[in-house]
Amino acid sequence: MRRVTRNLLIAIAIVALALLALGALPGYLGTGDPYHLTVEPTDADGPAVDVSTATDRRYPYLTSALVAADAGDGRSDGYQEGPFGIKEHFTHTPFDEQDALQRRNRDAVREDGRVLIDHEGERYYVDVTRVPSETNE
């Protein structure tokens, strides 16, 4: 094998491994206190985003928060930011879900940024909160 061909194959292998690492590694990175998507029951009127058909593939944080709301907590699984802001570009975050809900119905967004949702006839406010580590379970 020619030297140029061998070096090209090595370079392609290194790039492929780096791309694989970028796909897998960010999920394991995390620093600081975790963020949670929280749902809070409410009797508020007005336009709301209907999330009755939301799936855990599209909204994993929202669906886990809704399950937790039935248990009384209303808090999704935790999400920790990555160092240097790299992780956020490669992973799905609670911020992405809140932004998606806000874009689905701008009228459902309150002044403080919370989003009013309707899930199977129940209404909730959705917001991203940061929970200090010492109170985190």
Side-chain angles (χ1 to χ4, degrees):
M1 181 181 299
R2 298 178 101 188
R3 183 176 183 169
V4 172
T5 305
R6 181 178 48 111
N7 289 342
L8 178 65
L9 289 175
I10 290 172
I12 290 172
I14 290 172
V15 168
L17 288 174
L19 290 174
L20 284 172
L22 283 176
L25 182 62
Y28 296 108
L29 297 176
T31 60
D33 295 329
Y35 288 92
H36 299 272
L37 195 70
T38 57
V39 294
E40 175 186 333
T42 184
D43 292 331
D45 292 333
V49 178
D50 183 16
V51 295
S52 297
T53 59
T55 65
D56 61 344
R57 290 187 59 129
R58 174 69 175 95
Y59 294 102
Y61 292 102
L62 178 62
T63 54
S64 70
L66 288 168
V67 168
D70 292 337
D73 186 11
R75 192 168 67 183
S76 71
D77 298 332
Y79 169 81
Q80 289 182 307
E81 292 180 317
F84 313 113
I86 296 173
K87 177 181 177 181
E88 291 75 20
H89 298 291
F90 295 100
T91 59
H92 184 75
T93 70
F95 302 104
D96 295 333
E97 292 187 20
Q98 184 178 27
D99 184 53
L101 292 171
Q102 290 172 343
R103 284 185 277 125
R104 282 181 60 183
N105 187 349
R106 292 277 183 204
D107 295 331
V109 180
R110 301 301 179 244
E111 290 179 9
D112 57 1
R114 297 183 303 169
V115 181
L116 183 63
I117 63 167
D118 184 75
H119 181 258
E120 298 176 354
E122 298 291 325
R123 288 189 161 226
Y124 300 93
Y125 279 125
V126 175
D127 198 12
V128 176
T129 57
R130 190 171 198 167
V131 178
S133 296
E134 58 268 9
T135 62
N136 194 18
E137 298 175 65

